[in-house]
Amino acid sequence: MLENFKQYLINKGYKEYSANLSPSTAIDYPWRIAKILEKENITIEQLSADINKYLEQYDRLGDKWTIGRRSHESYINALRQFRKFLLLQRFGGANA
């Protein structure tokens, strides 16, 4: 599923690599999701089923905001994009 998420990001215009060939958003966000899975000790299916719970926890008022805000808020932004990806997978549509 993380590879599909990466392809979703690429299709949305996110780059795989920056100008200096460092991994960019399309590689970074799936990696961040994998790190959350590891930290929470959950499966991708569990994260998918409870995405709103994890968004709350990692967002500004959540108890895991110190993680969510790391690296220019990459963790919370990855979760937000993952939620959009899940909505597109579940319900379809061009604007997900």
Side-chain angles (χ1 to χ4, degrees):
M1 184 181 292
L2 289 178
E3 183 60 33
N4 291 341
F5 178 46
K6 176 183 165 186
Q7 287 305 313
Y8 162 81
L9 293 169
I10 292 168
N11 292 340
K12 291 296 247 181
Y14 290 95
K15 303 291 182 205
E16 285 184 84
Y17 296 96
S18 64
N20 68 358
L21 300 180
S22 296
S24 196
T25 307
I27 291 176
D28 183 60
Y29 282 6
W31 182 83
R32 304 268 176 196
I33 296 297
K35 295 309 265 180
I36 290 170
L37 296 174
E38 184 180 307
K39 177 163 184 48
E40 298 291 334
N41 195 28
I42 58 172
T43 65
I44 192 98
E45 291 79 14
Q46 289 169 305
L47 176 64
S48 299
D50 291 328
I51 188 67
N52 290 329
K53 174 182 118 176
Y54 292 101
L55 274 166
E56 264 185 38
Q57 289 177 351
Y58 284 83
D59 212 345
R60 292 184 190 274
L61 300 176
D63 60 335
K64 296 181 180 174
W65 172 237
T66 56
I67 298 167
R69 67 185 175 117
R70 288 183 188 162
S71 300
H72 304 284
E73 300 184 7
S74 290
Y75 283 93
I76 188 61
N77 289 329
L79 281 168
R80 288 175 182 146
Q81 286 300 318
F82 190 65
R83 182 178 183 272
K84 289 179 183 181
F85 164 74
L86 291 173
L87 288 172
L88 181 65
Q89 296 296 302
R90 290 178 188 157
F91 303 112
N95 296 321

